[in-house]
Amino acid sequence: MSARPFLRISTPVNGLLAALGLAAVAALTTRNIGATARLSLELLLGGLWLFYVVQLADTLVLWQAADRRTPIAELLIDAAAVFVPLAAFLLVDSRDQSLFCGIWLLKPLRESTFFRLLGRVVSRAAPNLIGVTSLFGIVLFGASLIAYLIERDVQPDKFGSVPQAMWWAVVTLSTTGYGDEIPQTLAGRVLAGLVMMSGIGIFALWAGILATGFFEEVRRQDFVRNWQLVAAVPLFQKLGSAAFVEIVRALRPRVVPAGAIICRKGEAGDQMFFIVEGRVAIATSSPTPIELGPGSFFGEMALISGEPRSATVSAATEVSLLSLYSEDFQMLSSSNPEIADVIRKTADERRGVAPRH
Ligand code: CMP
């Protein structure tokens, strides 16, 4: 059996199966559960465990045979999903055995690109995150000390020591406010207000740093991907590095499935397209549609003349495109007139054979 097809379907299934297993683990901890229900849930866990054994075998086959590109984390997660519950079954008191299936919480992480992205964001933003965390620690400790000084004689049971006051400081700084410890003195209440305001600021900083980190990381990934796509279009290969960066920023990638219509005859057109991969069919008045392949462009006629689209263009195969909007075309025309000239000349040539309105 080939490992690859099995693993390919497992990505969405993994999350679902893990959720099912964890729901069964949770259900098994409820009191007064009937014997039949218990047996069914245990059988479900057993079935899932068998599924994970097969998945581990597949991962091992893939890891050994297919150039060992499977990340080690995936292999470790698959191994833990099998061996932790197995060890629990052999060694642990039967009441707690199913709890060890909680290790399946890790399963949805095995192929997740989000957690890799999160890791990169956190590592890049680490200095700022450490800065804000230090600020959190300073405010937390300072507030606990002051609260202890102010409230210790009034409420010795709740603010009788700095560690006790620290619980109040965490609850207040995070603006959770359980209300189990409330300052009684005026000074204590003023302090509580200040701590709450600091908490809002600190959490806003954390959120801001992470949001900026995510935005930059996604933009960086898009830029690298666009760079590779733009480099595949011969027309742009002559560009200098500054102009190349400019065009990479301006072009937007898009994948169109085979058979889909990209632009229709008669519509207004505010963008043109460059073909990176695949082919498009242009339905002109000639009996056989004209096909264009990688490196070609289309949609330039409406963009330049402002007239409606001269023909309907559809994807002959799945096609990877880069689109350029009219405002970016103007920018390209002024910074790289030679490229704009090639596009204009091609439009003129095509206009000679294309149906006119
Ligand atoms: P536009 O008119 O904006 O939209 C349809 C596109 O099909 C057109 O731009 C050209 O890019 C392309 N096209 C039209 N006629 C021809 C042709 N004869 N040869 C190649 N491409 C064409």
Side-chain angles (χ1 to χ4, degrees):
M1 182 178 67
S2 153
R4 243 169 228 290
F6 183 85
L7 287 172
R8 207 165 41 219
I9 60 146
S10 71
T11 307
V13 172
N14 264 325
L16 199 72
L17 291 183
L20 211 75
L22 294 168
V25 169
L28 278 168
T29 61
T30 53
R31 286 173 196 276
N32 308 327
I33 185 170
T36 326
R38 175 171 291 279
L39 185 67
S40 319
L41 290 169
E42 283 171 353
L43 283 175
L44 175 68
L45 291 180
L48 285 172
W49 183 81
L50 282 176
F51 176 85
Y52 288 148
V53 171
V54 178
Q55 195 169 48
L56 174 63
D58 257 344
T59 309
L60 279 170
V61 170
L62 184 71
W63 197 71
Q64 290 212 316
D67 59 28
R68 300 193 175 211
R69 270 189 309 161
T70 309
I72 192 79
E74 222 164 90
L75 196 66
L76 289 177
I77 288 174
D78 285 354
V82 168
F83 292 113
V84 171
L86 180 67
F89 184 72
L90 297 175
L91 306 171
V92 176
D93 167 13
S94 68
R95 203 171 68 121
D96 291 336
Q97 278 169 356
S98 65
L99 294 181
F100 286 81
C101 294
I103 193 77
W104 295 345
L105 266 174
L106 297 179
K107 271 283 178 183
L109 306 189
R110 69 194 287 281
E111 282 163 45
S112 164
T113 49
F114 172 77
F115 289 96
R116 262 171 248 157
L117 174 68
L118 180 65
R120 275 198 300 276
V121 169
V122 170
S123 73
R124 281 185 208 274
N128 291 335
L129 288 174
I130 291 171
V132 180
T133 309
S134 311
L135 181 65
F136 182 87
I138 292 165
V139 175
L140 179 74
F141 201 86
S144 312
L145 272 182
I146 300 172
Y148 163 72
L149 283 174
I150 297 173
E151 294 283 327
R152 64 181 167 185
D153 296 331
V154 187
Q155 303 184 73
D157 53 328
K158 291 180 177 158
F159 290 85
S161 68
V162 172
Q164 264 182 308
M166 223 174 243
W167 169 245
W168 164 82
V170 171
V171 170
T172 310
L173 196 53
S174 64
T175 67
T176 307
Y178 287 131
D180 54 343
E181 293 181 1
I182 304 166
Q184 300 295 329
T185 62
L186 178 66
R189 289 183 178 209
V190 170
L191 175 71
L194 291 175
V195 172
M196 283 175 219
M197 301 314 256
S198 318
I200 292 170
I202 289 170
F203 282 96
L205 277 175
W206 259 322
I209 290 168
L210 284 177
T212 312
F214 268 107
F215 174 73
E216 279 172 358
E217 189 58 36
V218 169
R219 210 175 56 165
R220 194 174 294 120
Q221 283 179 1
D222 283 352
F223 187 80
V224 171
R225 193 191 49 192
N226 278 10
W227 185 286
Q228 287 159 349
L229 294 177
V230 174
V233 178
L235 190 63
F236 301 129
Q237 283 165 3
K238 317 181 195 92
L239 288 176
S241 50
F244 195 81
V245 169
E246 207 176 5
I247 197 81
V248 169
R249 291 223 170 96
L251 289 167
R252 292 159 213 206
R254 184 176 153 192
V255 175
V256 181
I261 297 207
I262 301 163
C263 59
R264 271 178 216 280
K265 182 177 174 173
E267 277 177 357
D270 63 344
Q271 55 183 316
M272 63 174 292
F273 306 89
F274 297 88
I275 305 174
V276 179
E277 249 179 69
R279 304 190 69 76
V280 299
I282 300 172
T284 62
S285 57
S286 63
T288 46
I290 295 169
E291 281 212 1
L292 298 179
S296 311
F297 55 84
F298 62 93
E300 77 295 344
M301 285 162 66
L303 190 80
I304 292 168
S305 66
E307 288 175 10
R309 296 280 188 207
S310 60
T312 294
V313 184
S314 55
T317 62
E318 183 183 79
V319 64
S320 160
L321 300 171
L322 290 164
S323 51
L324 182 72
Y325 283 84
S326 59
E327 55 274 19
D328 296 318
F329 179 75
Q330 306 307 334
M331 175 271 294
L332 182 71
S333 302
S334 50
S335 59
N336 293 280
E338 56 304 349
I339 288 189
D341 277 352
V342 173
I343 296 174
R344 279 201 188 90
K345 275 193 194 118
T346 310
D348 288 344
E349 280 164 26
R350 287 174 176 173
R351 196 164 280 121
V353 289
R356 302 302 305 268
H357 297 274

